[in-house]
Amino acid sequence: MAAEDHHGHRDVTGGWLRPAVFGAMDGLVSNFALIAGVAGGSGSRQVVLLAGLAGLAAGAFSMAAGEYISVASQSELAEAEIEVERLELARHPLAEQRELAEVFESRGVDPETAAEVARQLSRDPDGALEVHAKEEIGVAPGELPSPLLAAGSSFLSFAVGALLPVLPYLLGATSLWPAAAVAALGLFAAGALVSRVTTRAWWFGGLRQLAFGAAAAAITYGVGALIGANGV
């Protein structure tokens, strides 16, 4: 085959980019909205700064804990199902071999070839387990995600995003506008980065995320201003 006939594909799962960017985006949108709401109800720099730092800490720890529990539970369930498959292979090897042959047949392989492939794969217990697990469960032993890695990455990405709108206040800003400008740049950049795992243009992704973030901040600012004006 000629070299020009080869082609590749982008990672449709998004790899590390997608969860990292979405985690940062979540922190940015939620914390900027929180800051905007507090700023709408109170002009105090100290109050807004405290709210922003509290939102960063609470959100990052919540994201990390939720991600850890979610990934750990999913991995534990997958491990239990893989163990069931391991026992079935040990107790009923011929039945499992026929089952594997039927999988290949369902994909268009003729029965004789499917039976021979299943027989050869079944000679190696570990290899057979991997094939059965991938076909029946959708995962393979040794490929399960790490709960600690998922929790750590969620914590860091959320914290980075949530820190952006707080930075101007940490540097002495007394109004919402500098935070809004930093948040707008961050939202646009995050949306543009997400476009790398989609078919959308980078400017479309950036503007779309900016619009959603601005809407969230505007609504919470209005709620804060309404509550502050009424002295609730």
Side-chain angles (χ1 to χ4, degrees), residues 23-24 26-36 38 46-64 154-155 157-166:
D26 189 15
L28 176 54
V29 172
S30 62
N31 213 35
F32 178 52
L34 173 63
I35 288 174
V38 175
Q46 288 76 15
V47 172
V48 175
L49 180 58
L50 176 60
L53 292 175
L56 185 158
F61 279 109
S62 176
M63 284 284 291
S154 294
F155 181 93
S157 60
F158 186 97
V160 169
L163 180 62
L164 289 179
V166 181

Side-chain angles (χ1 to χ4, degrees), residues 4 17 31 36 40 102 105 116 184 193 196 220:
E4 58 269 19
L17 178 63
N31 213 35
E102 290 171 0
E105 285 184 51
E116 178 60 19
L193 277 173
R196 289 189 58 185
T220 53

Side-chain angles (χ1 to χ4, degrees), residues 13 68 76 79 85 93 98 117 151 176 201 209:
T13 67
Y68 180 89
E76 289 164 3
E79 288 171 353
E85 193 63 33
R98 286 195 299 270
V117 172
L176 184 62
Q209 188 55 43

Side-chain angles (χ1 to χ4, degrees), residues 10-22 194 196-198:
R10 291 182 297 172
D11 180 5
V12 297
T13 67
W16 61 268
L17 178 63
R18 184 179 183 277
V21 173
F22 274 102
V194 170
R196 289 189 58 185
V197 293
T198 69

